Each structure stands twice: as C-alpha cells, then as structure tokens.
Amino acid sequence: RDTVPDAGRQSYRIGFTGGGYENITAQTGYVNILPKPVTVTGITAQDKPYDGGMDAVLTVSKASINGVVEGDSLTVDSATGAFGDKNVGTGKNVNISEIILGGADAANYTVGSLSQNETYASIKPKPVSVSGITARDKEYDGDTTAELDCSKAAFTGKVDGDDLTVDSATGAFEDKNAGDDKPVSISEIILGGEDARNYQLTSDSASTVAAITAKTLTHIDVSGVTVTKQYDGTTAAGTASGNVTFTG
C-alpha cells in the first residue's frame, strides 16, 4: 500500500518482478490493524445542586490523551459521570465511564484500561421554602407561647418522592392578651425526614394567626372579705378588707 492504513481489516497484494520468473500471479491477502490504545486523563465533574439523582455533568474539553501518533486528530467527544449516591456532600466520588473518542482519527484508537475512571465533585443543598404551619387557639394563660401544628406543612422546591417534613418550630403570640386572629411568629423551623440533609431553608421563620380566648373563672370566694361602715343613712357600701379567692 502507498498510504498508511486505518485500523480494521485491510487488504494487501504481493507480486514479484524480475528474477527470470514467468507466469507468476500476484496474490491478495488481508491483515487486521488493531486500534491503538490511548490513556485519557484530565476529565473533571461539575458541582451541582441536589436534584435527587446521581447523574454528574463532566467536562472533557481539557482532557489529555497520551499515546496519540504525531499529527493525528484525536479528542474526547463525551463521557458519562455518576455520583456514588444522590445525597449532599463535598468532594464526592464521581465514576467515569463510556469515554467516547472524537476527531478525524478516532477510528484508529481505543480507550486504554489505564484511562481515568473517577473524579470528584460536590452536591450542594437545594433551597426550599415552607408554608402551611398553623398555630392552635388557646385559653389565656398569661404567656405568649403558641403551640404549632406542623403536620400539614408544604414545601416549594422539594424533589418529588423525597421524604421531607417539618420536625419542629417555635411559635409565639405577639402578646399574652385574649383576642381573635392574633399574629403568631414562627421561628427556628427545623427540617425532618430521611432527605432533610439535602435541603436548606430559604428562611427558618414564618407567621400565622390564632386566638387567645378569655379564661373562665369557675368560682369566686369572698368569705374572707369583711365590709365595715358607720351608719350614714345611705345604702352605699362600706369599706371592704380581706382576700378574694379566684378559682380557674
């Protein structure tokens, strides 16, 4: 052949000239040219926000290829990356597979066994907001503490199928006094559920309303009260002294 053959099954032809031989027929044969193994390194993975999946986006534009014949055009066209698990973490292992070569001479090469098969990247917490936390009405008790109900909390930004709840939160009325639809501040919201570590609240506070009802007194004891007055010809009460006892 007059040109350098590509990898694959190639034909060749053998013939003789000179030497006094006659009636010699040229013969055609075949040879397999195997692709040359090359070593690929320098593939990196991009950090990503949590999305519930293990797929990793790889950057192959700066990959190095060792073993390329001088003058050949060979690049890394693509590769597949996957984190070891879906969860948030820093410097997580990323497996690299299915490295595909590109360039005009890609057919003459194969990815060698010593090529890069892993890299590292981070999965960052996904922002999430919460709504639907309510406060329970209560009877006046002299303080501003509010009991919250987190069982119907809803999330904006949660990945479908994830286990995410509100584990706890702190509630407080604006003041201790009885009243309807009183503002209740919600703070210190803490996430719960199996996937809580993969999320970060955009705010750990909220607000709602609830009522404080007046406290009912069940008994007033005035047996300890003494009323005294000097006769003055009127029905006006005199001066009271002693203790009044309230129950309830």
Side-chain angles (χ1 to χ4, degrees):
R1 294 178 63 100
D2 296 327
T3 59
V4 176
D6 292 330
R9 188 168 185 262
Q10 302 291 342
S11 65
Y12 63 90
R13 188 175 179 83
I14 300 176
F16 296 94
T17 58
Y21 295 97
E22 296 179 358
N23 299 321
I24 296 177
T25 302
Q27 298 294 318
T28 299
Y30 297 92
V31 62
N32 286 323
I33 301 177
L34 301 177
K36 186 175 194 279
V38 291
T39 301
V40 177
T41 58
I43 297 174
T44 59
Q46 300 176 19
D47 295 343
K48 73 170 187 176
Y50 173 78
D51 60 6
M54 296 166 56
D55 291 345
V57 176
L58 301 179
T59 299
V60 300
S61 59
K62 296 182 180 180
S64 299
I65 307 175
N66 188 27
V68 181
V69 172
E70 185 176 354
D72 274 5
S73 172
L74 189 65
T75 62
V76 175
D77 186 65
S78 64
T80 300
F83 286 93
D85 59 59
K86 71 173 186 176
N87 297 314
V88 164
T90 302
K92 294 174 65 73
N93 181 270
V94 176
N95 297 314
I96 299 173
S97 62
E98 300 178 4
I99 299 174
I100 306 296
L101 298 175
D105 297 298
N108 297 319
Y109 294 90
T110 187
V111 178
S113 60
L114 298 180
S115 293
Q116 182 183 1
N117 59 14
E118 66 177 5
T119 186
Y120 301 91
S122 299
I123 299 179
K124 300 178 180 180
K126 181 174 173 58
V128 66
S129 60
V130 62
S131 60
I133 299 175
T134 58
R136 295 186 172 94
D137 296 342
K138 75 170 186 176
E139 187 180 69
Y140 173 79
D141 60 6
D143 69 41
T144 60
T145 302
E147 182 180 353
L148 300 177
D149 181 1
C150 302
S151 62
K152 296 181 180 180
F155 299 95
T156 300
K158 182 178 79 71
V159 174
D160 289 344
D162 271 7
D163 178 19
L164 187 65
T165 63
V166 172
D167 187 66
S168 64
T170 300
F173 286 93
E174 66 175 354
D175 60 52
K176 69 176 185 176
N177 300 316
D180 295 327
D181 294 329
K182 294 178 67 69
V184 176
S185 60
I186 302 171
S187 61
E188 299 176 352
I189 301 173
I190 297 177
L191 296 176
E194 184 178 346
D195 295 301
R197 61 178 167 171
N198 296 318
Y199 293 91
Q200 183 174 8
L201 284 168
T202 56
S203 174
D204 69 348
S205 62
S207 63
T208 186
V209 295
I212 299 178
T213 59
K215 187 172 179 63
T216 302
L217 298 177
T218 59
H219 181 70
I220 301 176
D221 183 2
V222 295
S223 62
V225 177
T226 300
V227 179
T228 59
K229 111 174 222 183
Q230 186 176 4
Y231 174 76
D232 60 5
T234 70
T235 59
T239 302
S241 63
N243 297 318
V244 178
T245 303
F246 299 93
T247 302

